[in-house]
Amino acid sequence: MRKIILASLAVGVVSSAVAAAFAANTSNPDQLSPIYGVSLPDGYRKWELVAPAQEAAPLNELRAVVGNDIAVKAYRDGKLPFPDGTVLVKLAWKHTQSPEFESASIPGAATTVQVMVKDATKYAASGGWGFGRFIDGKPADRAQHETCFACHEGRVKQRDYVFTKWAP
């Protein structure tokens, strides 16, 4: 029993450390999101796809959500709430018609990269999630970040505040 308790504590410490590393993986405070202090995680463009999405008007965007290994495992296992250390990144582009194939859509100009980091202790006031919204690699202003949790809380609280469902 003692080994199980110690192992559980170790997993919790490691998960919190992973989330903290992703939440502040930069020494430049100008690269941290206001309110939550989240940064763009290193190597996120190589993460596994969780799901694509298309946003209708007024945003008219194509989106892709990718997750770190902890996020992907939680999705595959159907685990809610997501464990600490989960990081989800949503990439968004303007929805553009392909010039080569009329019925196809392609990504146009990049619009935002949005990040969610799970750390139930650090972000207890926002359902255990820290949020970051980045435009051209720089954090969006504070007003844009103030809308993050309110939208998630009002619409997907029952899914641990996460909109994106796994696309097998």
Side-chain angles (χ1 to χ4, degrees):
M1 181 69 168
R2 183 177 175 163
K3 287 181 182 179
I4 292 171
I5 292 170
L6 290 174
S8 295
L9 287 172
V11 168
V13 168
V14 169
S15 294
S16 292
V18 169
F22 281 112
N25 68 351
T26 182
S27 58
N28 184 351
D30 292 337
Q31 296 301 310
L32 300 176
S33 69
I35 305 172
Y36 302 99
V38 171
S39 66
L40 288 171
D42 291 333
Y44 70 90
R45 293 293 299 246
K46 296 179 182 176
W47 290 359
E48 189 167 343
L49 178 69
V50 172
Q54 182 174 339
E55 180 76 25
L59 295 177
N60 195 29
E61 291 179 334
L62 295 177
R63 298 175 172 187
V65 174
V66 297
N68 68 354
D69 291 340
I70 297 168
V72 170
K73 181 173 181 359
Y75 271 113
R76 285 192 174 135
D77 295 347
K79 182 177 175 79
L80 285 180
F82 286 91
D84 280 1
T86 296
V87 183
L88 298 169
V89 177
K90 177 173 51 179
L91 298 96
W93 305 267
K94 278 298 184 190
H95 179 244
T96 305
Q97 182 180 347
S98 170
E100 292 86 15
F101 192 57
E102 298 78 27
S103 63
S105 298
I106 60 171
T111 58
T112 63
V113 175
Q114 298 176 36
V115 181
M116 289 180 66
V117 177
K118 182 71 180 262
D119 184 326
T121 303
K122 182 174 182 178
Y123 304 117
S126 52
W129 292 97
F131 298 88
R133 185 179 293 175
F134 301 85
I135 300 168
D136 294 328
K138 295 180 177 42
D141 64 35
R142 184 176 185 85
Q144 290 178 315
H145 283 85
E146 288 172 350
T147 65
C148 293
F149 180 61
C151 188
H152 288 252
E153 181 180 38
R155 298 171 186 219
V156 287
K157 184 176 182 178
Q158 75 283 5
R159 287 204 318 264
D160 195 23
Y161 305 95
V162 175
F163 282 98
T164 304
K165 294 181 180 178
W166 179 251

